[in-house]
Amino acid sequence: MSRTMQIDIRLLPAYGSGGLAKAFPRCAAMFRDVGKERVPEESPTLYHLVDELVRLMQDPAVPDRWKRPLGRHLDRLKQCRDEAREHLLGRRLNELDQSLYGLEDAFEDLERDLSW
């Protein structure tokens, strides 16, 4: 490793103007409805958002109207995130890119299933 330089590979959110709330309004509404307003405000990456979704599924206070659609998609979301993590740790950037596309697709499917 160089004494004066370092390699930095990280995932950054790229939702455009309006952030997560504009890109995935139903997901943002779900977080707001369960008292997690900071999540859409902070607009984490979809990669990092999977952990928030896992916490929602484990929270007994989250209503079934959110848990039902989330339960249908959570395994796929975790699988896509885990696959992306392996590529990220292995510095396989082309494969990571493809995994992140899959994660986006999984979030779009979840978004369609969430009701207001």
Side-chain angles (χ1 to χ4, degrees):
M1 178 177 225
S2 172
R3 293 177 302 134
T4 58
M5 294 175 280
Q6 65 183 14
I7 298 169
D8 184 12
I9 299 173
R10 57 190 166 140
L11 300 175
L12 301 172
Y15 298 115
S17 65
L20 174 69
K22 186 172 181 184
F24 295 93
R26 292 178 179 182
C27 284
M30 175 180 61
F31 281 109
R32 284 190 206 102
D33 186 58
V34 299
K36 305 236 182 237
E37 295 85 5
R38 70 166 180 78
V39 174
E41 289 171 7
E42 293 174 359
S43 284
T45 66
L46 298 179
Y47 178 91
H48 295 102
L49 198 57
V50 173
D51 289 333
E52 294 290 341
L53 295 175
V54 169
R55 282 191 277 281
L56 286 185
M57 276 301 287
Q58 296 170 346
D59 186 343
V62 173
D64 282 343
R65 68 177 261 217
W66 299 121
K67 282 189 174 183
R68 275 191 301 274
L70 188 53
R72 287 192 294 271
H73 296 277
L74 194 56
D75 285 342
R76 180 174 170 218
L77 289 163
K78 290 191 303 186
Q79 180 182 1
C80 290
R81 188 262 331 260
D82 292 346
E83 180 181 295
R85 177 181 290 140
E86 290 301 315
H87 295 311
L88 179 62
L89 293 173
R91 308 294 197 256
R92 296 182 298 273
L93 301 184
N94 288 334
E95 292 87 351
L96 173 60
D97 189 45
Q98 292 305 307
S99 294
L100 294 177
Y101 278 120
L103 186 57
E104 284 179 2
D105 291 344
F107 265 95
E108 288 170 1
D109 291 343
L110 172 62
E111 179 76 8
R112 276 191 293 276
D113 275 1
L114 291 172
S115 61
W116 291 101

